[in-house]
Amino acid sequence: MMNRLKAIRLLMKHKNLKNYLEIGVFNGHIFFRIKSIFKIAVDPDFTFDKLRILGKIILNPLNIFNKYFKKTSDHFFSNDAASLLNNNKIDISLIDGMHEYDFSTRDVENVLEYLSKEGVIIMHDCNPLTKEAACSFEQWKQRDFEGTWNGDVWKTILYLQCTRQDVQVFVLDCDHGLGFVTKTNEPSKLLPYTKEQIQALTYEDFDKNRAEFINLKSPDYFYDYFKIKQ
Ligand SMILES: C[S@@+](CC[C@H](N)C(=O)[O-])C[C@H]1O[C@@H](n2cnc3c(N)ncnc32)[C@H](O)[C@@H]1O
């Protein structure tokens, strides 16, 4: 079954993508498994210590080169990204930090600034299946962080489809909705909503228009789009 780790590994292998950035890393479940000498981890609240890093270096020696930024993605982009990435573009990025529209939109727009021409952005949590999973961070906090929380990252996918002719966007129907964002030379056709209209949309609106709002595709579409043999 397709998931974020499999997608990252396939893209790195078949598309020669190397430099990796993960926003929202948590315990490094995905991050430490990626094989690259240029990997950047950004999270204000990593849940691993030096001992776990050491163990992960033994399992995957390339982890010795990892760069860790214990801060929000906004701080990373305002303070560190330019010096680190201007001459070393990002080829593949997993965006999985704060799952709220404004935050995930800033994250994807910031990563696009530093993305190589053939680079790929993967956004986690784009397809919430219930209203509860699509709630705000504050509501999730009020229920003691219980249950799945995808937030409204789906609005960022819709926003990109309404504002960015220079990118192509789709979401695979697996792993909480895996959003893919790539650059394109042929201008994409835009959907007609403004940023504010998108902000005002409810989960019910999303549920009625799911396929269009996030350009939802079956997991196998990944192989067609990236021209990778199954
Ligand atoms: C769902 S977890 C990430 C899981 C990880 N990417 C994986 O695939 O296993 C979300 C992480 O985002 C981090 N986070 C929250 N707000 C953030 C922000 N503004 N910038 C970067 N990371 C953030 C949290 O600390 C948390 O560790």
Side-chain angles (χ1 to χ4, degrees):
M1 188 60 178
M2 183 55 70
N3 57 48
R4 58 200 183 283
L5 180 60
K6 187 169 177 181
I8 294 164
R9 282 180 164 160
L10 282 169
L11 287 168
M12 287 185 129
K13 181 170 173 203
H14 294 278
K15 297 288 160 188
N16 197 28
L17 302 178
K18 295 190 169 83
N19 295 351
Y20 179 74
L21 165 67
E22 187 168 322
I23 295 175
V25 173
F26 192 54
N27 65 3
H29 168 72
I30 301 296
F31 185 77
F32 289 122
R33 288 179 157 89
I34 305 299
K35 296 214 165 133
S36 167
I37 57 165
F38 190 92
K39 285 200 288 178
I40 300 171
V42 180
D43 195 313
D45 217 358
F46 293 123
T47 61
F48 48 80
D49 57 14
K50 289 197 170 122
L51 199 63
R52 183 168 159 88
I53 295 180
L54 195 64
K56 296 298 176 185
I57 292 172
I58 293 165
L59 288 172
N60 171 10
L62 294 179
N63 279 320
I64 201 155
F65 301 114
N66 294 348
K67 295 174 179 34
Y68 302 95
F69 292 86
K70 188 174 161 37
K71 51 179 73 178
T72 65
S73 48
D74 287 332
H75 282 119
F76 170 76
F77 283 109
S78 50
N79 301 329
D80 311 282
S83 58
L84 196 66
L85 302 175
N86 267 340
N87 296 318
N88 229 341
K89 296 284 183 212
I90 290 300
D91 296 315
I92 185 149
S93 179
L94 175 62
I95 297 182
D96 196 10
M98 174 54 80
H99 304 326
E100 289 201 344
Y101 177 37
D102 284 350
F103 287 82
S104 50
T105 301
R106 284 200 301 278
D107 281 347
V108 71
E109 295 204 308
N110 281 326
V111 175
L112 277 166
E113 288 290 310
Y114 298 103
L115 192 72
S116 60
K117 198 164 158 278
E118 304 300 325
V120 180
I121 297 173
I122 299 177
M123 303 193 72
H124 199 217
D125 296 287
C126 298
N127 189 22
L129 298 180
T130 63
K131 190 172 176 170
E132 289 67 40
C135 71
S136 67
F137 178 77
E138 212 38 55
Q139 289 165 329
W140 188 47
K141 191 172 159 189
Q142 274 164 27
R143 59 171 208 256
D144 283 334
F145 303 108
E146 280 296 316
T148 298
W149 184 54
N150 308 124
D152 56 2
V153 178
W154 63 268
K155 290 185 178 175
T156 294
I157 298 290
L158 177 56
Y159 173 77
L160 291 170
Q161 294 194 85
C162 294
T163 55
R164 298 285 302 236
Q165 285 194 298
D166 59 329
V167 301
Q168 286 185 325
V169 188
F170 63 89
V171 171
L172 297 184
D173 192 3
C174 59
D175 195 4
H176 298 276
L178 284 185
F180 288 78
V181 182
T182 59
K183 292 182 174 175
T184 178
N185 292 327
E186 283 172 36
S188 303
K189 199 165 166 269
L190 295 179
L191 296 178
Y193 307 95
T194 65
K195 186 165 193 187
E196 292 67 32
Q197 285 171 327
I198 297 169
Q199 180 69 73
L201 292 170
T202 63
Y203 179 77
E204 287 72 20
D205 299 323
F206 171 65
D207 204 22
K208 271 188 239 140
N209 299 281
R210 191 179 288 268
E212 182 200 20
F213 280 6
I214 58 172
N215 195 17
L216 192 60
K217 304 285 184 189
S218 80
D220 280 352
Y221 182 75
F222 173 88
Y223 297 97
D224 296 340
Y225 184 82
F226 290 108
K227 302 187 176 58
I228 293 174
K229 272 202 182 135
Q230 283 208 54

